[in-house]
Amino acid sequence: RGQGQLRAAADCYRRAVQLQPDYALAHNNLGNVLNDLRITDDALACYRRALALNPALAAAHYNLGAHYQQTGDFAGAESCWREALQHDPQHVRALSGLATVLGAALPDSDVAALGHLAALPEVTAGDRASLLFALAHVSDAQGDHAIAARYANAANAWRQDERQAQGQAYDP
């Protein structure tokens, strides 16, 4: 997305927040746009405001965790992503984020959740690819490179299907 489009989106979300200051999702979405614009302090404030308004908003917990990951606070990221999963046990990005920051230390219950979600028929091709890439990362970190390669190959196939459906090229 271009900077102009992002600034326009930020203006729209700011207007939404002005019109409905208690609308947690608008604060969260404004935070996402501000994060994309690299206005991270304001994005952080938006995520925190969204959670103050709606502590059960899994997306805001995920986004706050992603902010912590970007700043190197992996314990903070893990805490936020676990909170996101408390409110949405099928939050693919939170579970995948845990796999990224914990690697081989990811608890077996979380590894099982990755596999369970990846097998659900209603999971999108993109989400399935993300889950399989997460499983590949964990398997690789555990030293099981053959299984990691199988997960990575399957993830690439799903990602290719997703991109083809969108009319985009994919080169793993």
Side-chain angles (χ1 to χ4, degrees), residues 6-7 12 24 32 34 38 43 51 53 62 65 74 88 110-111 114 139 150 162 168:
L6 288 171
R7 289 186 200 290
C12 288
N32 288 340
L34 294 173
R38 306 291 184 244
L51 289 170
L53 293 168
Y62 168 78
F74 301 120
D88 178 3
D110 292 329
V111 174
L114 284 166
S139 296
R150 284 196 292 269
E162 173 197 38
Q168 299 174 353

Side-chain angles (χ1 to χ4, degrees), residues 51-168:
L51 289 170
L53 293 168
N54 182 357
L57 185 58
H61 286 288
Y62 168 78
N63 291 325
L64 185 57
H67 170 82
Y68 287 142
Q69 180 189 21
Q70 290 169 357
T71 61
D73 180 357
F74 301 120
E78 179 184 2
S79 176
C80 288
W81 292 335
R82 293 221 176 271
E83 188 68 26
L85 289 165
Q86 287 295 312
H87 300 290
D88 178 3
Q90 294 187 355
H91 198 290
V92 169
R93 293 172 69 192
L95 195 54
S96 296
L98 286 174
T100 299
V101 300
L102 296 177
L106 187 71
D108 289 342
S109 59
D110 292 329
V111 174
L114 284 166
H116 172 75
L117 284 178
L120 292 176
E122 65 269 19
V123 171
T124 67
D127 282 349
R128 190 177 321 279
S130 295
L131 292 162
L132 291 168
F133 278 127
L135 285 164
H137 176 76
V138 171
S139 296
D140 188 58
Q142 292 173 338
D144 200 337
H145 307 299
I147 289 178
R150 284 196 292 269
Y151 282 133
N153 286 337
N156 279 317
W158 281 102
R159 186 72 76 207
Q160 185 172 14
D161 288 349
E162 173 197 38
R163 296 291 164 86
Q164 284 178 342
Q166 296 169 347
Q168 299 174 353

